Amino acid sequence: ESSCENKRADLVFIIDSSRSVNTHDYAKVKEFILDILQFLDIGPDITRVGLLQYGSTVKNEFSLKTFKRKSEVERAVKRMRHLSTGTMTGLAIQYALNIAFSEAEGARPLRENVPRVIMIVTDGRPQDSVAEVAAKARDTGILIFAIGVGQVDLNTLKAIGSEPHEDHVFLVANFSQMESLTSVFQNKLCMAHMCSLLEHNCAHFCINTPGSYVCRCKQGYILNADQTTCRIQDLCAAEDHGCEQLCVNLLGSFVCQCYSGYSLAEDGKRCVAVDYCASENHGCEHECVNADGSYSCRCPRGFSLNPDKKTCTKIDYCASPNHGCQHECVNTDDSYSCRCLKGFTLNPDQKTCRRINYCALKKPGCEHECVNTEEGYYCRCHRGYNLDPNGKTCSRVDHCAEQDHGCEQLCLNTETSFVCQCSEGFLINEDLKTCSRADYCLLSDHGCEYSCVNTDRSFACQCPEGHVLRSDGKTCAKLDACALGDHGCEHSCVSSGDSFVCQCFEGYLLREDGKTCRWKDVCQAVDHGCEHICVNSGESYICKCSEGFRLAEDGKRCRRKDVCKSTHHGCEHICVHRGDSYICKCSEGFILAEDGRRCKRCSEGPIDLVFVIDGSKSLGEDNFEIVKQFVTGIIDSLVISPKAARVGLLQYSTQVRTEFTLRNFSSAKDMKKAVAHMKYMGKGSMTGLALKHMFERSFTQAEGARPLSARVPRVAIVFTDGRAQDDVAEWASKAKDSGITMYAVGVGKAIEEELQEIASKPTDKHLFYAEDFSTMGEISEKLKKGICEALEDSDGSQDSPAGELPKRGHQPTESEPVTINIQDLLSCSNFAVQHRYLFEEDSLSRSAQKLFHSTKSSGSPLEDKPDECKCENLIMFQNLANEEVRKLTQRYVLEEMTQRMEALENRLRYR
């Protein structure tokens, strides 16, 4: 029977969307899927269809529960977009096993005997391991059809597909030939459900496969060799139980036990030896060692245990005649060593001795040869050389000095004799001993106009008296008066008949002496060094400053007049000049208060912060402890309270676990205790699933987040140490679009592309990466600074610390007096009692009452509201009153201090 009508199945397509698949071939894959869909009977109670694409990551196009009609599935297939990245086939199969075939994604329970089928299409070699994860999928009852296109390794397809391979593994030459497989899959997918037709004899569950069935067991059991009956699973043999000594199976679990003489540690896995040495008076002189049911004494190296089995005696190793030392034997702590007499050194056998080779040992630096003697060495030269007085270097025999060489000028030694040479400017004669001066004027065409004179290396032209050599070095010109006399002109001399006059360069003036010159503008003539303005003063200059500046002690630089020192600025931390005025600033870690003068810690500001911590197995328990310390350090930098910082924490691996929400803790002590007791999950790495959980739940009011109207900064710190097994871009983008500031912290094998998708812009302030955990402290400090900056940025957009005023009726500006009817205030009895100081008759209270005078023209914010005593109105008035009284008090204190200072000055003046 090959009809798919009313056939129940859960079918998931896994499509290779790597860059090796071009646009035309990708379209052929979509056509093949559409052809398969034609003969399937799709519906929630019949055949359910899901589809995954994979490249470097896995993209879930739609799950088994997404669509209920065939037309919807077809439209979704046509809308698919090519990923064009890597080929992570094993990751895609893992995703299908863990997520796509989960009941949460629409897969029907195993007890319903609905066949589970994967149809995977690939065109290249996978970049990860596929055999193990495919075997796991097949073992859970999933039937896998593997379709390879082009140059695909057949063994890889067989590692993926179910057996027999001739029915489940297919290889075609190109994507166009895939349509030939349509009828084949129609026969295989539409066969009858054998579990309902045959007496299968499965002890627990029967799973339908096309044309057949397989038996599966309940959790805690495994299938016997007859493939129908089940037995209790030996978890101690099948899993990494972690027991140090003994593992004992229970139904669906196991427990650890210890050997005799050991007790089980608190972690339930390690075994601790019973310390007999600590509980008895053992009497050991050196060391007590626990043994099974008792103890024994042990001596350190170089000692032996005495017959009393408690005290120790040092061993004399040299007393044995078998030490074998040629010269001397010396005892050491735990053995002996051989030593040689003076002038000898120990051989590699550490027993016999040989005479020392001083030439090799001391490396005396002999230029030619080193010769050993009994107690030392000496240097020796090659034939034809003499040893120098330093006893190391050698000099060639000087034939020129030892013979009557007869050279007129220079004698040059050769290896066996000598040759004569001449000095520069001379040539050797035919006798090869005497020299003659070289006549360059005769040997060359000198071109001199008057006369040529030989020099040591060449020649020079000369002119007669009253003439001077021109720049060409050959012709001559008659001298003028300036050239003949010592005119003394500083700049230039101008001939005038038989005499001369001095002239200055442009920009200079001739002094009264008629020879020297001075600048017209001294400021332009010299490097005056004036910072602002240079002013000429006779033959010198002076420096001046621009308005608002004064001249420094060096007479050149200018300093701004110190407005901060000349004015009572009132800045709590730092006063900074700004033109003719000043502004107040705060030290690092503080932000400016509303009055523009006082400072408050940035950590005191309100913030909703959620940690998203990677608890995958690649992290390891030791590094997980470092991450917990990292989280605790961030918490220590904040003021934890319902009105200041609220903190939540998620841990994720294959699943997501809420360790605590924003509303769980109102003190840092309780929060750090919860972090310390957090258990390491140690499985997969579903970062995208964790971001989805954070976006949909963690920042909701139900879990303690303040409403968006409160304008409290929302911050998430995401920590990961490796590649995510799902897509992170979608939920990271949604979180950032919703106003959550995202910090990404990556360590080790974390993927930079994923960190950039997670982090807010600019990434240089929101993305942190380290190759190992040694720099987590630096990242922690940068994060604290970033959070502080976020609070500073948000502080400019926040209202007063008392909170945001409700947007109802007329909203007064900061400079506009707030008018509230006294009748409305008196109707709120709690408010009147709490703020009775507003109605007392002293001067401060009268100033405060001006805030609440009745004005009929503007009306009361509470006139038309029967619920004027509700909490939100009461808090609004309370905050307004507190702020106004604070301002009035500050003004009153300043006036009082001013009056006292004036009185003190008058008193001093009188005295």
Side-chain angles (χ1 to χ4, degrees):
E1 182 180 354
S2 61
S3 172
C4 277
E5 184 176 357
N6 296 323
K7 287 295 183 292
R8 302 175 74 205
D10 289 341
L11 171 62
V12 175
F13 291 95
I14 301 179
I15 303 304
D16 183 350
S17 188
S18 61
R19 64 176 63 89
S20 61
V21 179
N22 60 41
T23 304
H24 175 74
D25 293 337
Y26 186 75
K28 288 291 184 183
V29 174
K30 290 166 51 171
E31 290 175 11
F32 170 74
I33 297 171
L34 293 171
D35 290 341
I36 296 294
L37 295 175
Q38 296 308 308
F39 57 77
L40 296 178
D41 194 1
I42 296 175
D45 298 325
I46 318 167
T47 298
R48 300 182 185 178
V49 178
L51 192 146
L52 309 175
Q53 279 198 99
Y54 72 93
S56 297
T57 59
V58 180
K59 183 179 181 184
N60 183 18
E61 290 293 337
F62 50 89
S63 62
L64 293 169
K65 68 178 180 180
T66 304
F67 299 118
K68 298 180 180 180
R69 291 188 295 273
K70 182 183 298 185
S71 59
E72 295 173 340
V73 177
E74 291 174 339
R75 279 197 299 272
V77 172
K78 292 175 182 178
R79 286 197 303 266
M80 285 195 316
R81 293 291 180 266
H82 193 195
L83 299 179
S84 295
T85 54
T87 313
M88 301 296 287
T89 310
L91 184 64
I93 298 173
Q94 184 72 54
Y95 186 97
L97 176 61
N98 292 346
I99 298 176
F101 280 108
S102 65
E103 292 183 29
E105 291 296 312
R108 283 163 280 198
L110 289 172
R111 63 179 176 273
E112 294 185 18
N113 295 330
V114 176
R116 295 183 174 184
V117 182
I118 288 177
M119 188 174 293
I120 184 167
V121 179
T122 181
D123 81 323
R125 186 182 297 276
Q127 295 175 337
D128 56 356
S129 177
V130 297
E132 183 179 353
V133 68
K136 285 184 179 179
R138 293 194 300 268
D139 289 342
T140 62
I142 299 174
L143 189 71
I144 303 179
F145 291 96
I147 304 170
V149 182
Q151 302 296 321
V152 182
D153 181 28
L154 184 58
N155 290 329
T156 301
L157 293 176
K158 289 181 178 180
I160 296 172
S162 297
E163 292 183 358
H165 292 144
E166 57 267 25
D167 293 332
H168 302 91
V169 176
F170 304 89
L171 182 63
V172 295
N174 52 58
F175 286 88
S176 298
Q177 292 185 9
M178 288 178 59
E179 61 184 8
S180 64
L181 300 175
T182 305
S183 59
V184 175
F185 285 113
Q186 182 175 5
N187 292 332
K188 293 184 180 296
L189 295 176
C190 298
M191 297 178 74
H193 295 175
M194 294 302 177
C195 286
S196 59
L197 297 178
L198 301 176
E199 185 175 348
H200 50 74
N201 294 324
C202 293
H204 288 179
F205 301 119
C206 176
I207 305 298
N208 284 298
T209 62
S212 184
Y213 67 89
V214 291
C215 295
R216 290 290 179 265
C217 298
K218 298 176 183 177
Q219 186 175 4
Y221 293 80
I222 58 174
L223 205 62
N224 287 322
D226 61 7
Q227 299 298 308
T228 56
T229 60
C230 302
R231 69 178 185 276
I232 294 176
Q233 187 177 10
D234 185 1
L235 294 175
C236 288
E239 293 186 10
D240 182 16
H241 50 75
C243 297
E244 185 176 1
Q245 293 185 358
L246 299 173
C247 174
V248 179
N249 279 297
L250 301 176
L251 183 60
S253 183
F254 63 88
V255 293
C256 296
Q257 291 183 356
C258 298
Y259 299 135
S260 176
Y262 292 81
S263 61
L264 199 62
E266 290 181 359
D267 61 4
K269 294 184 179 293
R270 294 179 298 105
C271 293
V272 180
V274 177
D275 192 358
Y276 296 100
C277 290
S279 61
E280 294 183 25
N281 183 15
H282 52 77
C284 297
E285 181 183 3
H286 284 172
E287 186 178 0
C288 176
V289 180
N290 284 297
D292 291 343
S294 183
Y295 68 92
S296 62
C297 295
R298 189 165 61 190
C299 297
R301 292 174 67 181
F303 290 81
S304 62
L305 198 63
N306 290 328
D308 62 2
K309 300 299 182 182
K310 293 183 181 289
T311 58
C312 301
T313 302
K314 190 170 183 65
I315 301 171
D316 184 3
Y317 297 98
C318 288
S320 171
N322 298 322
H323 57 73
C325 295
Q326 184 179 355
H327 287 182
E328 294 177 28
C329 175
V330 180
N331 280 299
T332 61
D333 287 343
D334 57 352
S335 184
Y336 67 91
S337 64
C338 295
R339 189 163 60 191
C340 296
L341 301 176
K342 187 176 180 180
F344 290 83
T345 184
L346 206 60
N347 285 323
D349 63 2
Q350 300 299 309
K351 294 182 182 292
T352 58
C353 301
R354 68 180 185 280
R355 189 173 293 278
I356 298 172
N357 184 350
Y358 292 99
C359 287
L361 182 64
K362 295 191 176 182
K363 299 180 180 177
C366 297
E367 184 179 4
H368 286 182
E369 295 176 45
C370 177
V371 181
N372 282 296
T373 63
E374 287 186 2
E375 296 183 0
Y377 66 91
Y378 69 90
C379 294
R380 187 168 62 192
C381 296
H382 298 157
R383 187 176 180 182
Y385 288 82
N386 293 327
L387 192 66
D388 292 333
N390 60 16
K392 295 186 178 186
T393 59
C394 298
S395 300
R396 188 179 293 277
V397 176
D398 190 355
H399 298 286
C400 290
E402 293 179 356
Q403 302 180 39
D404 183 16
H405 51 76
C407 296
E408 183 181 3
Q409 292 186 357
L410 302 173
C411 176
L412 180 67
N413 282 297
T414 63
E415 288 186 4
T416 57
S417 184
F418 66 90
V419 292
C420 295
Q421 285 189 348
C422 297
S423 303
E424 190 172 10
F426 292 82
L427 299 174
I428 193 81
N429 292 326
E430 291 181 355
D431 61 3
L432 299 179
K433 291 184 179 290
T434 59
C435 300
S436 300
R437 181 173 292 277
D439 190 349
Y440 296 104
C441 291
L442 182 64
L443 293 174
S444 61
D445 182 16
H446 53 78
C448 296
E449 183 179 2
Y450 282 94
S451 62
C452 173
V453 179
N454 284 296
T455 62
D456 289 341
R457 299 182 181 181
S458 183
F459 65 90
C461 295
Q462 286 186 350
C463 295
E465 188 175 352
H467 291 74
V468 65
L469 198 64
R470 288 194 174 98
S471 59
D472 61 3
K474 296 182 181 293
T475 59
C476 300
K478 191 171 183 178
L479 286 171
D480 58 8
C482 287
L484 289 172
D486 182 18
H487 53 77
C489 297
E490 183 180 1
H491 282 185
S492 62
C493 174
V494 180
S495 293
S496 176
D498 294 330
S499 185
F500 64 88
V501 292
C502 294
Q503 290 185 353
C504 295
F505 300 149
E506 186 177 355
Y508 289 80
L509 295 175
L510 195 66
R511 287 193 174 95
E512 289 75 14
D513 61 3
K515 294 182 181 290
T516 60
C517 301
R518 66 177 177 84
W519 261 97
K520 292 179 182 178
D521 187 349
V522 182
C523 286
Q524 292 184 7
V526 298
D527 183 15
H528 53 77
C530 297
E531 185 176 1
H532 283 188
I533 305 167
C534 175
V535 180
N536 287 298
S537 176
E539 292 189 10
S540 184
Y541 65 90
I542 57 172
C543 296
K544 290 188 176 181
C545 295
S546 304
E547 186 176 355
F549 292 80
R550 61 182 177 82
L551 199 63
E553 290 76 12
D554 61 2
K556 294 181 180 289
R557 293 180 294 108
C558 295
R559 293 180 178 175
R560 184 179 292 277
K561 293 179 180 178
D562 195 348
V563 182
C564 285
K565 288 184 178 179
S566 61
T567 307
H568 181 67
H569 51 78
C571 298
E572 184 179 358
H573 282 191
I574 304 166
C575 175
V576 180
H577 293 291
R578 179 65 63 84
D580 294 330
S581 184
Y582 66 91
I583 59 170
C584 295
K585 288 191 174 182
C586 294
S587 304
E588 185 175 355
F590 292 79
I591 57 177
L592 204 61
E594 294 78 2
D595 61 3
R597 285 178 167 80
R598 292 180 299 105
C599 296
K600 60 183 180 181
R601 288 190 179 276
C602 64
S603 60
E604 297 174 3
I607 184 174
D608 287 349
L609 171 63
V610 174
F611 289 95
V612 182
I613 302 301
D614 186 350
S616 61
K617 62 182 178 183
S618 61
L619 186 67
E621 291 192 10
D622 291 341
N623 290 333
F624 187 69
E625 291 301 318
I626 296 176
V627 175
K628 287 160 67 174
Q629 294 171 13
F630 164 78
V631 172
T632 302
I634 300 295
I635 293 172
D636 282 335
S637 71
L638 302 172
V639 176
I640 305 299
S641 75
K643 291 184 178 181
R646 300 182 185 180
V647 180
L649 192 148
L650 304 178
Q651 185 186 171
Y652 71 92
S653 58
T654 306
Q655 297 177 335
V656 183
R657 185 170 73 204
T658 300
E659 300 292 351
F660 51 85
T661 67
L662 293 170
R663 72 165 59 251
N664 283 146
F665 298 111
S666 58
S667 72
K669 179 180 178 181
D670 294 338
M671 192 176 293
K672 290 192 289 184
K673 187 175 181 181
V675 173
H677 288 89
M678 186 167 59
K679 298 299 183 183
Y680 173 49
M681 297 175 75
K683 293 185 180 179
S685 184
M686 304 296 287
T687 310
L689 186 63
L691 294 177
K692 178 177 185 291
H693 184 103
M694 175 208 72
F695 173 72
E696 292 181 342
R697 299 186 186 178
S698 298
F699 285 104
T700 60
Q701 288 181 250
E703 292 206 358
R706 282 161 278 201
L708 291 173
S709 60
R711 298 166 71 180
V712 173
R714 293 183 171 185
V715 177
I717 299 176
V718 182
F719 175 87
T720 180
D721 81 322
R723 181 187 294 277
Q725 294 177 337
D726 56 356
D727 181 42
V728 301
E730 177 185 358
W731 294 106
S733 177
K734 287 183 178 180
K736 289 183 281 188
D737 291 344
S738 71
I740 299 172
T741 301
M742 302 288 289
Y743 288 91
V745 181
V747 178
K749 297 182 179 179
I751 306 302
E752 183 180 359
E753 179 183 336
E754 291 181 358
L755 295 176
Q756 290 178 346
E757 289 175 341
I758 294 170
S760 295
K761 302 294 183 182
T763 53
D764 60 339
K765 289 188 176 182
H766 297 87
L767 190 154
F768 304 95
Y769 172 78
E771 291 187 0
D772 54 48
F773 286 83
S774 62
T775 57
M776 288 295 289
E778 297 177 16
I779 293 177
S780 176
E781 292 305 314
K782 292 179 181 177
L783 268 174
K784 293 175 188 176
K785 185 177 180 182
I787 293 171
C788 187
E789 290 175 355
L791 287 170
E792 290 177 5
D793 294 342
S794 68
D795 185 69
S797 61
Q798 297 283 330
D799 287 327
S800 66
E804 185 178 4
L805 295 175
K807 296 182 180 177
R808 55 177 72 189
H810 173 67
Q811 291 292 322
T813 63
E814 185 178 347
S815 59
E816 179 182 352
V818 180
T819 55
I820 301 172
N821 199 306
I822 293 295
Q823 233 175 356
D824 295 330
L825 289 176
L826 293 176
S827 65
C828 296
S829 58
N830 292 336
F831 181 87
V833 171
Q834 186 174 356
H835 297 282
R836 57 184 178 276
Y837 63 85
L838 293 174
F839 309 103
E840 294 173 355
E841 293 183 353
D842 57 60
S843 60
L844 180 61
S845 299
R846 283 197 299 274
S847 298
Q849 286 180 23
K850 292 178 182 179
L851 175 67
F852 299 99
H853 69 276
S854 174
T855 56
K856 292 181 180 179
S857 59
S858 61
S860 167
L862 305 177
E863 260 181 6
D864 301 327
K865 299 291 180 180
D867 56 350
E868 61 270 23
C869 289
K870 281 190 176 178
C871 182
E872 62 178 341
N873 295 324
L874 185 60
I875 291 173
M876 176 183 76
F877 293 136
Q878 180 178 341
N879 292 337
L880 279 171
N882 287 342
E883 182 63 15
E884 286 301 315
V885 169
R886 186 188 63 75
K887 291 179 180 177
L888 289 169
T889 303
Q890 186 181 40
R891 191 186 312 157
Y892 174 78
V893 170
L894 289 173
E895 289 174 356
E896 181 71 19
M897 289 178 66
T898 303
Q899 291 174 3
R900 290 185 180 181
M901 289 295 292
E902 289 175 353
L904 182 61
E905 287 177 0
N906 292 332
R907 197 177 304 163
L908 291 172
R909 193 181 299 113
Y910 175 78
R911 288 182 179 178

